[in-house]
Each structure stands twice: as structure tokens, then as C-alpha cells.
């Protein structure tokens, strides 16, 4: 499950809470931005995490992150944060993500890349935190998403 | 400048980053939610804080907060966060704010109140952090907002 | 249970994570600093919150905060954060707190006050979040602390 | 500058602010823990970042992070966070870091590994955010540290 994955996009705005004394977005906060985009991507596929936890007893946990920072964003900037499935296995999946700066670009010109990375996510039992297989309903939703795009 | 102030509303969603081990939104994060709403309220009046800083050398700072917590919000909940000007003086202003839980209410029933408070905000020189008078352009925008509603 | 309460002090350092684009500590983060001090104050009385939750099923929740900001702290600053019991009732308690800037003062001169406030804390059932009476063991520890100082 | 680097250790405690609704430390917060350890490691070498900024006009920025999560930490846990220089070039350096759970281990048994990663850090002009050479005084301090251990 990999080729031709849809790229999901989520807009967000930089607030004071996101910045640090360098005058820019604090780098750790891009992990939060990436997660907001992943969450909304899952929601767009009908996957609500709180409901899933109640019905299956499982939750997603982040197992690995790898991020490269290219440019800085500042207060009041608008960002576009993407999420795109790279690989979905039985116990974990890999999502590729980018944060782009929304600017008034001439048509055809790409938005500047702020940072990018890949996130590996596992599925665990919420009580024991032991790894479990990702529920079939989730994998089905992901497959359908990939297939139709 | 007080009576009949417009109540501005800003929607937002609860993500993992907002919660704590109690399973609910970490109380300090409502200050972030309140600020997002105030920022968007100011933006709706044409006041962009980053641009203002560049043109005037000044920034808003929070001088006082007073918050009462009534109910908890959880992962995936949708919130409505309000902002409403209570008072605007030469050097500071007071904003009244609420966080409400967006639910599928029967018509006419109010959204449950999560927390509410008032925030006093001052205007300072960004370099020295010394208090300054709030720029007239800001006060004018606030007055117009109050007058037209 | 009020007069002559011991003032507990907890030192901490300002890191990049604590600051915002104003170059100073983000105001909402003082709530975190206050909580670290309260937590260590409770720990100094033998009260461990995670263990308490496992043994009693209850947790503390913040019910009300009231904070006044006087001065700003910057990256690398050392702070002293105090906690002092003002009042302990059956269902909630009020703690008075200050954040002070640690400086090389001449002897006898007080540390500059950054911010101060009072926090009301309730005790709830962790599952239902319904208010409960504060466990007697906690009230006993608090009383002993007050009595011996 | 690589082999035999000293491993610096910094202790810290998990507070409510660090956790999420999974009942564990929110994964993005390990980046904060890593930075606290790096900051204190630099401070132990005489490198104070706020002072450096004032004297050189430069600041460190994170350019790349790569983290693997192995185990979870919970409220009240004590962690040991290490920092160890892997490589220092003209414009950036790589630091290897681990977060370990402090437990009452039998002698000789290692502390459980929570997460580990490597962080690449660059040096930029604070105003323009353009890359600059790391000041010689910093490289000298790092070299001395490596040499003496």
C-alpha cells in the first residue's frame, strides 16, 4: 500500500504559543502541527481516535520521527501541513509530512517548504501499551483512500 | 467603551497535544485557546500583531488573568471560544472569554460552558518591555467594532 | 488551617521551550511553573499524585486561577517558585504562589517578583471527574506541615 | 572531534504538563527534555546561550532531529537525559541523546531506555536567521570537553 497516495492538506495559523525567543516557531511544535494534520486526515477517512479508543481499547502511538528543518515561520504566518501515507503494515504505518508557508505566490510557483519528515506510528493497547495489530477497519479506510486517488 | 460589545466566536478542535494524563484538556491550555480567539478577533478588526510590531515597535502583553473551570473537554471535542471587549483604556484593555463545548444541542439550548475568565492586556515597547499607550489605530478599530454592534 | 503556613520554594531554569517571540517567558507557562512547585511541595509532604491515583482513584484538578504578571523573565534566567497553603476545605484548597527572579542581590534585598497568583484545586474521581472529598491522609499531611512551621 | 565524547546526564521529573490523554509523556515533549539536557551540558562547559546571543548576535537552531521511541514514561517518573557530542563541524554539530527511566535497579543493571535520537544543530545570525560559522570559543569549549574525557 504505497504508490499514488493522496496528499492531505490542513491549514493552520501561527500564534504566540507556537513561537520562541528566536522570534520563530519552536521546532518541537512542528510535531504538533504534523499531528493535527494526521488527525484531520484520519478524520476525513472516518477515523475518530477517541471513538476508536472506546470501541477497540487501542490508541496510536508515535514510534519514530525524522524531521528536517529548512526555513522558519513567524507569528501570524499561515501554514499548510500535509500528510500522506507511505506504508501501512500490520502493526505500524509510516506517514510523510510537510509544513509549507502559505504565501501570495504567482500561479504555478510552489509554497516555500518549512520542514518535512516522516513519522512511524504504531497501534497499542491503551491500558498495557503493548503493540497490537492495527484494526482492520482502519486499514480498510486507508486502503480505500489510496485506491480512489 | 463597554456596553453591548460584540461577542466574537472562534472554533477549535482538541488534539493530543492539548490533553493531559487526566484524559482531559490540560487547564493551562485554555489560556492558549483564549489567545487564539483574541488573536482572530483582532484580525477580524484588521489588527495583525506581527505587522503592528514592525510598524509601531509595540506588542501586547498579558497583565492579569482570572479563570474559572467548570467542565472538562476531551480529545476530538470541538470547542467554541469567545472573546468580547469589556473595557479599553489608554494602557490596557480587559477581554471577557468563554470556552464552550460544541454539541448537537436541541435548538435553543446553550452549549455547555467549559471555562470562562477575563484577561487584562497591556501594550508595551517590544524592546524595553516598558508600558506604552495603546496606539490610536487599535483603539479606533475596537471602538468601531463596539459601535456597529 | 491558614495562618503561618510554610512557604515552599522550588528552583527552576528558563529554557527555549518556555519563551515566546516577545523574547520572554510565555505567560501561560507560569501555570506550569506553579504546578511544578505545588507538585514538589506535595511530594515534600509525602504526597505522590500518581500513587494516590492508583490507591484512591482520585486526582487533583485546577478549579480556579488568578494571576498577576509584574515583570518578565528571559532565557537562562533562574526562578524561584513558591507555594503556600492558604486554605484547605473538604473539597478544595487554595494555594498562593509566586515566581521570583533569582539574582545576585545584596544581602537582605528581596528577589524581584515576576508574577503571583492563587490557585484553587479540587479533588475528583479520575474516571467520572465528579467532585469528591479530599482524602483524609492528604489533609492530615497538610495540617502537620502547617502545624510544625 | 568525535571518539570518546563525554556523556553528560541531566535529571528531570515528569509533571502533568508533560503528559497526554494516553497517560504517558507526550512524545513531542522528549524534544524539550533533550534540549534541557543539551542546554545544561553547554552551560557545564561555560556556554550560556542568552549571553552568547548578546555578545555574538548568533543563536543555535535545530536543523534535524531523528528520534526512536521505545518505552513510555508516566507522571512522577524520574528521567535521566543524556547528551553527547558526536560531531562538530564549522556550521553545525550533531548530538546524540537518550532519555532513561530512573528506577531502583540492582547494581550493574542499566536504566530502561525510553527514547533516543540524534539532533543536528546549526548556528545562525539571530536577526537574519542565515547560517554562520559556529564561534571559535564554542568549538574550543567542546574540544576541551572531549579531550579531557
Amino acid at each position: 500500500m504505497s504508490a499514488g497516495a493522496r496528499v492531505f492538506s490542513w491549514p493552520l495559523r501561527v500564534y504566540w504559543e507556537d513561537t520562541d525567543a528566536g522570534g520563530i516557531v519552536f521546532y518541537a511544535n512542528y510535531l504538533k502541527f504534523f499531528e493535527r494534520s494526521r488527525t484531520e486526515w484520519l478524520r476525513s477517512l472516518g477515523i475518530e481516535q477517541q471513538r476508536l479508543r472506546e470501541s477497540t481499547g487501542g490508541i496510536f502511538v508515535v514510534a519514530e520521527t525524522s524531521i528536517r528543518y529548512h526555513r522558519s515561520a513567524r507569528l501570524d504566518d499561515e501554514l499548510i501541513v500535509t500528510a500522506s501515507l507511505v506504508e501501512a503494515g500490520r502493526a505500524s504505518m509510516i506517514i510523510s509530512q510537510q509544513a509549507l508557508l502559505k504565501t501570495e505566490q504567482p500561479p504555478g510557483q510552489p509554497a516555500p517548504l518549512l520542514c518535512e519528515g516522516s513519522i512511524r506510528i504504531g497501534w497499542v493497547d491503551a491500558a498495557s501499551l503493548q503493540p497490537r495489530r492495527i484494526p482492520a477497519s482502519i486499514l480498510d479506510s486507508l486502503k480505500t483512500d489510496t485506491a480512489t486517488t
Side-chain angles (χ1 to χ4, degrees), chain A:
Chain A
M1 196 192 303
S2 60
R6 181 169 69 107
V7 176
F8 176 85
S9 288
W10 187 250
L12 57 83
R13 183 72 82 157
V14 175
Y15 297 110
W16 281 103
E17 66 184 90
D18 303 312
T19 61
D20 70 18
I24 56 180
V25 170
F26 183 60
Y27 62 95
N29 290 338
Y30 286 97
L31 287 181
K32 298 183 178 180
F33 296 169
F34 282 176
E35 181 168 297
R36 293 183 203 172
S37 179
R38 290 197 307 275
T39 299
E40 298 299 343
W41 163 62
L42 291 172
R43 199 188 319 277
S44 76
L45 303 176
I47 300 169
E48 300 262 352
Q49 295 183 67
Q50 178 68 21
R51 204 172 298 166
L52 259 182
R53 181 180 185 166
E54 285 156 15
S55 62
T56 70
I59 54 174
F60 284 117
V61 291
V62 170
E64 216 170 324
T65 66
S66 179
I67 315 281
R68 277 197 309 279
Y69 297 90
H70 301 288
R71 261 182 75 148
S72 302
R74 292 182 178 276
L75 185 67
D76 284 340
D77 280 347
E78 281 185 275
L79 274 52
I80 303 292
V81 184
T82 70
S84 162
L85 184 67
V86 173
E87 198 188 302
R90 286 191 170 177
S92 75
M93 57 184 192
I94 296 173
I95 295 131
S96 173
Q97 304 204 252
Q98 291 191 322
L100 305 157
L101 182 64
K102 197 174 161 186
T103 54
E104 283 160 23
Q105 299 287 328
Q109 235 173 320
L113 177 62
L114 299 168
C115 84
E116 60 185 334
S118 77
I119 313 286
R120 193 164 63 78
I121 290 175
W123 182 259
V124 300
D125 179 80
S128 70
L129 298 174
Q130 290 303 305
R132 294 279 179 271
R133 287 196 182 177
I134 298 177
S137 64
I138 295 179
L139 290 176
D140 287 347
S141 301
L142 297 176
K143 263 173 207 153
T144 309
D145 181 47
T146 309
T148 58
T149 52

